[in-house]
Amino acid sequence: MSWYRNTVWFVKGLREYTRSGYESASKHFNPADLEVNVAGKSFLITGSNSGIGKATAKEIAKRGGTVHLVCRNKGRAEDARGEIVTETGNQLPSVTQPALHFSSLMENVFLHIVDISNPKEIWKFAEQFKNEHKLNVLINNAGCMVNNRELTEDGLEKNFATNTLGTYVLTTALLPLLEKEADARVITVSSGGMLVQKLDVSDLQSGSGTFDGTMVYAQNKRQQVVLTEQWAKTHRNIHFSVMHPGWADTPAVRSSMPDFYQKMKNSLRTEAQGADTVVWLAVSSEATKLPSGLFFQDRQPVPTHLPLASTHSPPGDEEKLMELLEEFSQKFKSPSSGT
C-alpha cells in the first residue's frame, strides 16, 4: 500500500509539471502579488538570453527594475537585451546613466558576458560588479545538461562546473553586496528531477562509473537545494529560495532532451509560465513572508523529498558539500579578490 501511495503521489506530481498543471495552480494565484513597481531595485539574472531567464528578465524590466543579464554568448545576449528593452520600454534617459564600460549605456538593462562554468571568470566579474553596482536580488538560472562527460579548460566536469560550482561561486562572491540591502533575495532555478537523487558528496565530478548526464544534472539540482537550505541558516538577513519551474518549452529542453521534448511538446509550459514563480519570488512581498530556504513550485512551498523515498542525507553530508565547494572555489580565486 505504501508503494501504491508513493506511485500515485509521484504521477500526480509529474502531471502538475505540465501546462495544464500550471493552469490549474494559477487559478489560486493572487494577481495583486505581482502588481508591484520595483524601480530602484537591481536584479542579476544568469542565463538570461533565452528561456526562463529571459522571460524573468522581461517581467522584472516591465516593473521598472534595473536588470543585469549575465550570459555566456555575446551575440545571443545582445539580441535578447534588445528584445527586452524594446518590449518593456525599460529605458533611462542618458543624462542619468553613469559612464560605465558596458556596450550600451543608455538603458536600464545591462549586459555582462560571463561563462558560469568558469570560476575564475566569475570571481573576476563579481569583484568588478561589486565596485560598480548595488544588488537587491540574485537569480541563479544558468544551467546545462551535457549528456557526455566533458571537462572545462580548468578540468572541471561541465555540468558540475555550471550548475553547482558556478552557482556557489557567484552567490558566495555577491553575498557581501546583498548583505548591504534591505529585502535582499537569492533565487535558484532547480528542477523536479532532483527528487530522484540523494545528495552524494563522494564523486562531485562524476569521474567514476557510467556517466549519465540526466542523473548528473539531477544530482546537481539536489545540490542546489542543499545549498539554498545551508545559506538560509547562515545568512539570516537574506531570503533564499529554490524553485522548480515545471516542464517548460525552452531551447535548453529542446537541445538537451530531444526525445522528451518530442513526447511532451504539446503539454509543456510556456517560458513565461515556467518563469512565473521565479518572478513571484523575486518581487512579491508575499514570498518573503514564508521562511527562507524553501523549495517552491507554482508559488507554493513543496517537499524536497518524495514520500518514503530514500533521498534524505545526514547533516554531515550537507556540511561536507559546503566545505568541498569552498575548497574548489578558493582554488580559482585571485589573491586580489575580496571576500
Side-chain angles (χ1 to χ4, degrees), residues 8 63-64 153 184 191 256 286 293 307 329:
V8 169
R63 291 162 175 79
E153 63 182 35
S191 167
S256 298
E286 293 301 307
S329 70

Side-chain angles (χ1 to χ4, degrees), residues 43-50 57 66-85 97 100-114 125 128-129 132-133:
F43 300 76
L44 189 155
I45 310 167
T46 64
S48 41
N49 66 283
S50 67
T66 296
V67 178
H68 294 271
L69 310 175
V70 173
C71 309
R72 181 174 56 86
N73 185 288
K74 189 171 187 290
R76 290 199 294 268
E78 288 177 339
D79 289 344
R81 183 177 182 276
E83 181 183 328
I84 292 165
V85 171
Q97 190 66 39
L100 301 176
H101 65 280
F102 300 99
S103 56
S104 296
L105 307 177
M106 310 301 180
E107 291 119 9
N108 209 17
V109 181
F110 293 92
L111 175 59
H112 311 269
I113 305 303
V114 184
F125 158 72
Q128 184 174 346
F129 188 91
E132 297 174 347
H133 302 282

Side-chain angles (χ1 to χ4, degrees), residues 2 11 55 71 112 115 148 212 241 245 253:
S2 61
V11 171
C71 309
H112 311 269
D115 184 349
N148 296 304
D212 183 332
S241 55
V253 168

Side-chain angles (χ1 to χ4, degrees), residues 5-130:
R5 286 198 301 268
N6 194 35
T7 302
V8 169
W9 191 95
F10 186 61
V11 171
K12 178 176 180 288
L14 297 186
R15 188 166 63 244
E16 289 173 350
Y17 298 166
T18 63
R19 184 188 304 168
S20 63
Y22 173 83
E23 291 168 349
S24 177
S26 66
K27 293 176 183 177
H28 305 285
F29 292 172
N30 183 356
D33 286 358
L34 296 186
E35 292 172 1
V36 296
N37 185 317
V38 291
K41 288 192 173 184
S42 175
F43 300 76
L44 189 155
I45 310 167
T46 64
S48 41
N49 66 283
S50 67
I52 288 168
K54 184 169 74 172
T56 299
K58 285 181 181 179
E59 292 301 318
I60 291 172
K62 285 177 185 176
R63 291 162 175 79
T66 296
V67 178
H68 294 271
L69 310 175
V70 173
C71 309
R72 181 174 56 86
N73 185 288
K74 189 171 187 290
R76 290 199 294 268
E78 288 177 339
D79 289 344
R81 183 177 182 276
E83 181 183 328
I84 292 165
V85 171
T86 300
E87 288 190 17
T88 66
N90 190 332
Q91 185 167 331
L92 292 174
S94 59
V95 293
T96 70
Q97 190 66 39
L100 301 176
H101 65 280
F102 300 99
S103 56
S104 296
L105 307 177
M106 310 301 180
E107 291 119 9
N108 209 17
V109 181
F110 293 92
L111 175 59
H112 311 269
I113 305 303
V114 184
D115 184 349
I116 297 297
S117 73
N118 186 324
K120 286 180 286 191
E121 203 171 303
I122 298 171
W123 276 118
K124 182 179 178 181
F125 158 72
E127 290 308 308
Q128 184 174 346
F129 188 91
K130 286 191 288 187

Side-chain angles (χ1 to χ4, degrees), residues 50-256:
S50 67
I52 288 168
K54 184 169 74 172
T56 299
K58 285 181 181 179
E59 292 301 318
I60 291 172
K62 285 177 185 176
R63 291 162 175 79
T66 296
V67 178
H68 294 271
L69 310 175
V70 173
C71 309
R72 181 174 56 86
N73 185 288
K74 189 171 187 290
R76 290 199 294 268
E78 288 177 339
D79 289 344
R81 183 177 182 276
E83 181 183 328
I84 292 165
V85 171
T86 300
E87 288 190 17
T88 66
N90 190 332
Q91 185 167 331
L92 292 174
S94 59
V95 293
T96 70
Q97 190 66 39
L100 301 176
H101 65 280
F102 300 99
S103 56
S104 296
L105 307 177
M106 310 301 180
E107 291 119 9
N108 209 17
V109 181
F110 293 92
L111 175 59
H112 311 269
I113 305 303
V114 184
D115 184 349
I116 297 297
S117 73
N118 186 324
K120 286 180 286 191
E121 203 171 303
I122 298 171
W123 276 118
K124 182 179 178 181
F125 158 72
E127 290 308 308
Q128 184 174 346
F129 188 91
K130 286 191 288 187
N131 290 331
E132 297 174 347
H133 302 282
K134 72 170 192 172
L135 183 62
N136 299 91
V137 180
L138 168 62
I139 299 173
N140 291 308
N141 168 72
C144 70
M145 183 191 294
V146 179
N147 290 313
N148 296 304
R149 192 170 190 273
E150 180 182 326
L151 300 183
T152 68
E153 63 182 35
D154 295 309
L156 299 168
E157 191 278 313
K158 194 162 189 178
N159 292 296
F160 166 75
T162 305
N163 302 325
T164 302
L165 184 60
T167 296
Y168 179 86
V169 172
L170 183 63
T171 304
T172 299
L174 293 177
L175 282 174
L177 196 58
L178 288 159
E179 296 272 8
K180 295 178 181 179
E181 304 295 331
D183 192 25
R185 311 183 191 190
V186 175
I187 299 119
T188 300
V189 179
S190 184
S191 167
M194 69 91 193
L195 290 166
V196 304
Q197 286 286 309
K198 178 181 179 179
L199 178 66
D200 180 5
V201 296
S202 67
D203 186 20
L204 292 181
Q205 299 211 67
S206 308
S208 60
T210 303
F211 186 88
D212 183 332
T214 303
M215 289 300 101
V216 170
Y217 176 83
Q219 174 66 207
N220 295 160
K221 294 301 176 177
R222 168 62 70 186
Q223 291 161 0
Q224 290 179 341
V225 170
V226 173
L227 284 177
T228 299
E229 293 170 343
Q230 294 298 307
W231 281 325
K233 292 177 183 178
T234 54
H235 300 277
R236 299 299 180 89
N237 58 335
I238 299 174
H239 191 272
F240 292 87
S241 55
V242 60
M243 59 79 66
H244 174 34
W247 292 334
D249 185 354
T250 66
V253 168
R254 294 186 184 199
S255 62
S256 298

Side-chain angles (χ1 to χ4, degrees), residues 313-329:
S313 54
D317 284 2
E318 296 172 356
E319 294 164 3
K320 183 65 173 177
L321 174 67
M322 303 302 284
E323 293 171 5
L324 291 171
L325 292 177
E326 182 62 16
E327 289 176 11
F328 270 111
S329 70

